[in-house]
Amino acid sequence: MSAQAAPTTGRTNAPEVRRALIGVTVLAPDPLLRTGLLGELRNRPGIEVLDDAGRADVVVVAARSGLRDVLTSSRRLVLIADDVRQDDLWAAIENGLTILLPLAEATPARLLRAISEAHRGHARLPAAHLERLLRSLSQLHKNVLAPRDLTLSGLTHRETDVLRLLADGLDTAEIALMLAFSERTVKNVLHSMLTRLGLHNRVHAVAHGIRNGII
């Protein structure tokens, strides 16, 4: 007698693919505020609360005051705060600010959405803060950068042109020909840029330009 084949159900024995967790660290000078945020995030699907900000995918900083006391460098920073001063906003940007969420609007749903958006690399600032930031950038360019022939990247226009051609594989003589400079001028531009930015060589300069979106 032949063995009867087992009925098929359409299921496979392949292991279930688990969604990667988003590692989140919460920082706040107010212990009650921090405890409340941690309570909202613990045991949430897709979220792993971490104590070490250095291991976190997203750092959430919440502050009613004393913002600079808790800021830490992060690739993706979600800031929950009201009435952020301009210097504090700049400090937050320097520490990886991605999303700014007003404290009054930080409902559990908005917080989770902000963390998810930050993790995906999205950026969002309230219109009023964005306007202030753009105005400050305009003043910075007019009063500080332009008189020194610097761009927001920290490079002069001449340095940027040289760096882009260097990234295209041109040597010193070819760069000089393209920009109508002498070879000595090109070498001086490179030397000044390497020294000022603490770069080791031309390859390091190109890598710096790529990482910072200059080229």
Side-chain angles (χ1 to χ4, degrees):
M1 180 182 296
S2 60
Q4 185 177 2
T8 59
T9 63
R11 296 180 180 178
T12 65
N13 293 324
E16 181 182 356
V17 178
R18 297 184 60 188
R19 183 175 59 171
L21 298 177
I22 302 175
V24 179
T25 294
V26 175
L27 303 175
D30 183 337
L32 292 178
L33 181 56
R34 182 173 185 272
T35 299
L37 290 170
L38 288 173
E40 292 294 344
L41 294 176
R42 292 194 192 278
N43 301 318
R44 289 280 186 173
I47 299 292
E48 180 184 10
V49 176
L50 303 173
D51 292 329
D52 183 3
R55 294 176 49 227
D57 300 302
V58 176
V59 173
V60 176
V61 173
R64 294 186 176 90
S65 62
L67 175 60
R68 293 201 180 196
D69 295 336
V70 290
L71 280 177
T72 184
S73 181
S74 168
R75 290 178 301 168
R76 298 178 179 90
L77 172 67
V78 173
L79 175 60
I80 303 174
D82 288 326
D83 301 322
V84 181
R85 299 184 311 178
Q86 190 63 42
D87 55 344
D88 286 337
L89 181 60
W90 277 113
I93 291 172
E94 291 172 353
N95 283 277
L97 176 65
T98 302
I99 292 179
L100 173 58
L101 183 62
L103 191 60
E105 300 177 14
T107 62
R110 290 288 301 275
L111 174 59
L112 290 172
R113 186 162 74 244
I115 291 172
S116 177
E117 290 176 350
H119 185 245
R120 295 197 303 269
H122 297 176
R124 178 162 48 84
L125 292 179
H129 288 89
L130 182 58
E131 181 182 356
R132 287 166 51 196
L133 178 61
L134 292 176
R135 188 164 56 247
S136 293
L137 287 174
S138 177
Q139 292 173 350
L140 174 66
H141 181 267
K142 178 181 178 180
N143 299 327
V144 179
L145 300 179
R148 295 168 174 79
D149 190 35
L150 291 173
T151 64
L152 287 173
S153 66
L155 301 181
T156 67
H157 291 88
R158 179 179 289 188
E159 289 170 342
T160 301
D161 291 339
V162 170
L163 187 59
R164 286 172 177 163
L165 293 174
L166 193 64
D168 287 338
L170 277 64
D171 61 23
T172 302
E174 292 168 328
I175 293 173
L177 183 62
M178 287 288 295
L179 298 179
F181 294 159
S182 68
E183 290 189 42
R184 178 179 292 276
T185 296
V186 173
K187 291 178 181 178
N188 288 340
V189 169
L190 286 170
H191 176 74
S192 175
M193 178 175 58
L194 294 175
T195 301
R196 191 176 71 255
L197 299 180
L199 303 173
H200 302 306
N201 49 45
R202 299 184 179 194
V203 174
H204 194 189
V206 170
H208 172 83
I210 293 173
R211 283 198 303 267
N212 290 278
I214 301 170
I215 56 178

